[in-house]
Amino acid sequence: MTRERQNRRLFARLALVALGMFGFGYALVPFYYKICEAWGIYSLGETRAANVNTQIDSSRTVTIEFDANARNLPWRFRPIVSHLQVHPGELATVEYEVVNTRDEPVTGQAVPSYGPPYAGEYFNKIECFCFRQQTLAPGETRRMPVTFVIDPKLPAGVTSIALSYTFFEVAGRGGKS
Amino acid sequence: MSAIIDNHAAGRDAAHDHGHGDHHGGYGGIMRWITTTNHKDIGTLYLWFSFIMFSVGGVMALVIRTELFSPGLQIVNPDFFNQMTTMHGLIMVFGAIMPVFVGFANWQIPMMIGAPDMAFARLNNWSFWLLPFAASLLILSFFMPGGAPGVGWTMYSPLTVQMGIGMDFTIFAVHLLGMSSILGSINIITTILNMRAPGMTLMRMPLFVWTWLITAYLLVAAMPVLAGAVTMTLTDRHFGTSFFNAAGGGDPVLYQHIFWFFGHPEVYIIALPGFGVISQVIPAFSRKPLFGYASMVYATSAIAILSFIVWAHHMYTVGMPVTGQLFFMYATILIAVPTGVKVFNWVTTMWKGSLTFETPMLFACGFLFMFTLGGFTGLVLALVPIDIQLHDTYYVVAHFHYVMVAGALFAAFAGVYFWIPKWTGRMYNEKLGQIHFWLTMIFFNMIFFVQHFLGMAGMPRRIPDYPLMFETWNKISTIGAFGMGLAQILFFYIVLDTIRNGKPAPQLPWEGADSLEWTHLPTPVPYHTFETQPVIK
């Protein structure tokens, strides 16, 4: 083979290498994502599972039972759900319904109690209708929320907590809250 | 004999050996330089081009250092400052230091292997002429709306996507620069592999030729990856792709991986030809053969191969898992081993040699000492826990200027002083050469040694203004910069003075020089050499 042909062949081969490396640069794009995925390295390009709340203790389930009483109050008072399964650390919301059967405005205050009693320490209410007095117009029906989270430090043996509200009339108010 | 395309001259008598400067081809004046396919002419073009770019990049450095003389913003706004740092980097890397060694390659490789010219002489011409166009694009970007891009020479996304049209000019300039390098490298590889004179086996080639062979392979492999990265930036900017845009499913860190996969071999592309020059100069002035020729070849090859697996040491702080950081740290430390072999071999070459310290040797010894220092700071930066602290500080700036300026640039100066008698037939003024060396040495250290302190004290890179506590070192660094700049004006004078008024050089000005251009060719070399290839015994 003449010198010139040898040179041209080598040129062609090297030019092919250069082209190949250009393609390699583009190939690095899927390589990058595949390798990150294979090695479990989070990359912006990857869709993530829903954010995991690390405060929730998924290994435990506690049953919360809801109870409602009206003491000397012309109100019908009941929880919407009678019980709920939650994990400690998990935020939950339930509703109570109250109906004023009298034909004049009545003000009441709900007071919680817990069973077992020491569970109250671990029962963190974020928002509750028991935080303030409730005034209902004659015949009014109202749904009121309780948002709570059970502290993960709840002693291990406790698998069930009862939350019981008792509504007391606030005397002398008669509709003024 | 050779089937090389060598007929830029219609009707010229190929048997004539004219002194350089005589009748070349059918053309005179500017057309000679535009149409030349002669490796010596093209080498000269590369060398002058790189000197012009070195001066332009140097002025930009002076703008940077002037602004940094005092805290506060005195002479430029932050946007323009970023344009200066970006363009200084791009021009110095792609316009100055890479082309200067291509200039050496063109001049020296054919002569050192006994070949009449490069394998593809016309392609050689085009490879050069791409460069002034590319450089014009870069400079033109300053005059575009928005100015030159202020993104750093590394051109990270997402900032590059936000730049004005100056960024597109730069991207096209990089395409042209890359094409020039790739074609030039193919030319060099083909020349070295196919056109050696009979008897010039691979393991008898001068080290300078070996380092260029290896560098050319690095260029062919790495430069196209840079082309890919800037093309992806271009399409992200204008054609709706989202390679680096998280909102579109991409990732800015991906750019860094692709860039540095090119970027790390790139710094060895810059360093290796410099090593080659040093391997010619030190034995000549020690009057002793290079110690450990084979191990030098293997060490250079090892450095080249390893350079492909260390890139993420530029990226320790992107959020990489520890395992990744450790891998790249160990690989980077490993590269110090073959590099150390080379340094030891150079020192051992000098051991019990008959030493004289003319200017080329001064620069070679300066290289030896200061490249080693730069290598040490590189080792420091290789360590992940330390780099977390020093990343993007002036410590990094100090490191790479030590290896690229006190390393590669000093090697280039050594090469110019060493070979200018062979190229021009005239001796440079030795006294002036020595003054140039000492001024450069002293002022270089003034600029960059103190930057290690700045980096360790926490001064970040690429900032136009800084807290008062950094003022002293910055002032010293700036004064050094002006000194070094003035010293290069002296170098320009020395070169011109040599060409115009230099004393005629003897056939062998350097007693210990023994490669083919010294032993087989007259001084100055004729326009065409080795048209009949010698047989090397």
Side-chain angles (χ1 to χ4, degrees):
Chain A
M1 204 190 314
T2 65
R3 169 80 58 74
E4 187 163 332
R5 266 215 48 225
Q6 274 183 318
N7 289 353
R8 296 233 167 127
R9 272 186 61 169
L10 188 50
F11 180 95
R13 289 200 177 132
L14 292 169
L16 222 60
V17 171
L19 250 46
M21 287 308 291
F22 183 77
F24 177 75
Y26 274 86
L28 282 180
V29 179
F31 278 12
Y32 173 72
Y33 293 117
K34 293 263 159 43
I35 291 178
C36 285
E37 195 186 318
W39 290 356
I41 306 168
Y42 172 64
S43 134
L44 283 178
E46 205 177 82
T47 43
R48 243 185 171 178
N51 281 331
V52 170
N53 184 339
T54 54
Q55 315 284 32
I56 298 179
D57 180 2
S58 310
S59 65
R60 276 179 81 175
T61 306
V62 181
T63 307
I64 315 293
E65 289 166 343
F66 301 103
D67 178 49
N69 305 288
R71 176 69 65 84
N72 295 336
L73 206 59
W75 285 3
R76 281 210 307 276
F77 180 40
R78 65 177 187 98
I80 301 300
V81 292
S82 60
H83 59 276
L84 188 68
Q85 308 257 18
V86 296
H87 298 301
E90 178 186 6
L91 207 63
T93 303
V94 297
E95 282 184 321
Y96 279 77
E97 186 185 80
V98 66
V99 183
N100 181 7
T101 56
R102 206 186 281 168
D103 55 4
E104 54 180 23
V106 178
T107 304
Q109 170 70 53
V111 176
S113 79
Y114 306 93
Y118 59 81
E121 247 179 86
Y122 303 94
F123 199 105
N124 299 315
K125 295 197 292 296
I126 311 301
E127 179 56 58
C128 178
F129 59 85
C130 58
F131 289 168
R132 54 193 69 80
Q133 295 175 350
Q134 304 289 335
T135 302
L136 266 64
E140 182 186 350
T141 303
R142 189 181 288 178
R143 286 214 176 181
M144 305 170 299
V146 181
T147 304
F148 63 92
V149 58
I150 307 296
D151 191 329
K153 294 197 191 69
L154 182 72
V158 180
T159 55
S160 167
I161 299 176
L163 171 66
S164 174
Y165 283 104
T166 305
F167 253 114
F168 296 92
E169 180 167 5
V170 178
R173 291 295 181 116
K176 299 184 191 62
S177 51
Chain B
M1 43 126 297
S2 74
I4 301 313
I5 304 155
D6 182 34
N7 49 356
H8 64 273
R12 194 185 59 76
D13 182 355
H16 269 150
D17 268 351
H18 292 291
H20 193 58
D22 281 81
H23 166 24
H24 308 92
Y27 299 112
I30 195 104
M31 281 309 282
R32 164 191 164 189
W33 294 104
I34 295 180
T35 61
T36 181
T37 58
N38 179 288
H39 72 99
K40 302 182 180 75
D41 273 356
I42 293 174
T44 300
L45 286 170
Y46 270 104
L47 289 171
W48 279 115
F49 172 80
S50 67
F51 184 75
I52 295 170
M53 289 291 108
F54 176 63
S55 310
V56 172
V59 166
M60 294 178 180
L62 288 178
V63 170
I64 295 170
R65 287 284 5 138
T66 306
E67 177 55 58
L68 290 174
F69 183 73
S70 288
L73 291 175
Q74 284 85 30
I75 60 165
V76 297
N77 65 44
D79 191 45
F80 187 71
F81 183 88
N82 292 343
Q83 297 175 27
M84 284 287 106
T85 52
T86 305
M87 286 296 148
H88 165 76
L90 286 172
I91 285 177
M92 285 306 204
V93 168
F94 292 107
I97 202 73
M98 285 175 76
V100 78
F101 285 114
V102 180
F104 281 116
N106 266 290
W107 256 108
Q108 293 300 125
I109 289 177
M111 294 198 293
M112 282 172 146
I113 61 175
D117 208 298
M118 300 291 289
F120 305 108
R122 260 183 312 211
L123 186 68
N124 205 13
N125 172 293
W126 194 51
S127 297
F128 170 74
W129 280 107
L130 279 172
L131 292 187
F133 280 101
S136 307
L137 278 179
L138 276 183
I139 306 288
L140 227 52
S141 69
F142 278 107
F143 302 102
M144 292 296 124
V151 293
W153 87 279
T154 49
M155 302 178 287
Y156 280 8
S157 75
L159 191 55
T160 44
V161 177
Q162 302 167 14
M163 289 283 133
I165 195 172
M167 185 73 231
D168 302 304
F169 273 67
T170 301
I171 290 175
F172 289 125
V174 169
H175 279 143
L176 292 180
L177 293 164
M179 204 148 36
S180 166
S181 287
I182 293 169
L183 294 171
S185 301
I186 295 181
N187 213 343
I188 286 170
I189 294 173
T190 310
T191 307
I192 295 175
L193 291 185
N194 285 1
M195 292 177 57
R196 282 165 288 126
M200 176 60 73
T201 61
L202 284 176
M203 291 308 266
R204 287 175 74 175
M205 296 194 307
L207 238 310
F208 177 72
V209 182
W210 258 115
T211 55
W212 250 116
L213 178 62
I214 294 168
T215 302
Y217 272 112
L218 278 180
L219 268 165
V220 169
M223 198 56 97
V225 178
L226 174 68
V230 300
T231 307
M232 291 181 210
T233 302
L234 186 70
T235 57
D236 265 20
R237 281 169 58 81
H238 296 298
F239 300 110
T241 59
S242 293
F243 288 104
F244 312 127
N245 176 10
D251 192 342
V253 175
L254 173 62
Y255 174 87
Q256 295 188 35
H257 279 289
I258 300 178
F259 179 84
W260 285 113
F261 187 83
F262 149 79
H264 198 80
E266 164 69 8
V267 309
Y268 291 103
I269 287 165
I270 292 172
L272 257 41
F275 291 172
V277 172
I278 299 301
S279 297
Q280 301 302 138
V281 170
I282 288 189
F285 291 87
S286 310
R287 293 162 181 76
K288 242 178 109 210
L290 181 69
F291 181 85
Y293 176 93
S295 63
M296 291 297 254
V297 174
Y298 296 139
T300 311
S301 312
I303 292 172
I305 293 169
L306 282 175
S307 75
F308 279 103
I309 59 167
V310 298
W311 77 89
H313 66 223
H314 300 272
M315 297 168 58
Y316 284 148
T317 60
V318 297
M320 204 190 308
V322 172
T323 317
Q325 291 171 318
L326 283 177
F327 169 77
F328 286 107
M329 179 173 94
Y330 294 142
T332 308
I333 294 173
L334 192 56
I335 266 199
V337 174
T339 316
V341 166
K342 294 181 76 76
V343 172
F344 285 134
N345 282 7
W346 286 317
V347 173
T348 311
T349 305
M350 292 171 69
W351 179 254
K352 296 214 168 152
S354 179
L355 298 168
T356 53
F357 292 94
E358 290 89 332
T359 306
M361 187 59 162
L362 285 177
F363 274 105
C365 291
F367 165 95
L368 215 45
F369 185 56
M370 306 232 283
F371 178 83
T372 304
L373 277 186
F376 286 157
T377 57
L379 214 43
V380 168
L381 288 168
L383 305 176
V384 172
I386 302 184
D387 184 75
I388 303 296
Q389 203 57 28
L390 298 178
H391 180 72
D392 266 347
T393 66
Y394 263 85
Y395 195 90
V396 180
V397 177
H399 158 70
F400 65 68
H401 282 97
Y402 263 82
V403 286
M404 287 208 293
V405 178
L409 183 68
F410 275 31
F413 282 140
V416 170
Y417 285 106
F418 185 57
W419 277 310
I420 206 169
K422 183 51 72 171
W423 299 337
T424 63
R426 295 171 177 275
M427 290 302 287
Y428 62 88
N429 181 319
E430 182 61 47
K431 198 95 209 78
L432 288 183
Q434 304 215 347
I435 295 175
H436 172 230
F437 167 74
W438 285 110
L439 288 178
T440 303
M441 184 75 167
I442 290 168
F443 285 118
F444 170 85
N445 279 296
M446 197 184 299
I447 306 173
F448 293 110
F449 196 76
V450 300
Q451 291 188 2
H452 294 107
F453 306 143
L454 284 174
M456 290 185 60
M459 181 177 174
R461 285 172 78 168
R462 294 168 167 162
I463 55 174
D465 187 12
Y466 52 80
L468 201 51
M469 65 195 219
F470 298 133
E471 183 174 17
T472 314
W473 298 135
N474 268 291
K475 283 195 148 61
I476 294 174
S477 186
T478 297
I479 294 169
F482 278 91
M484 176 142 172
L486 288 172
Q488 306 325 308
I489 298 178
L490 174 62
F491 173 70
F492 181 55
Y493 172 78
I494 292 172
V495 172
L496 284 184
D497 177 61
T498 305
I499 294 173
R500 300 245 182 90
N501 316 320
K503 285 214 318 266
Q507 163 62 24
L508 190 63
W510 316 122
E511 221 186 324
D514 63 358
S515 34
L516 283 191
E517 79 276 23
W518 298 110
T519 55
H520 280 58
L521 294 176
T523 304
V525 286
Y527 194 58
H528 296 289
T529 48
F530 291 135
E531 302 215 283
T532 310
Q533 293 199 287
V535 176
I536 315 296
K537 305 228 172 6

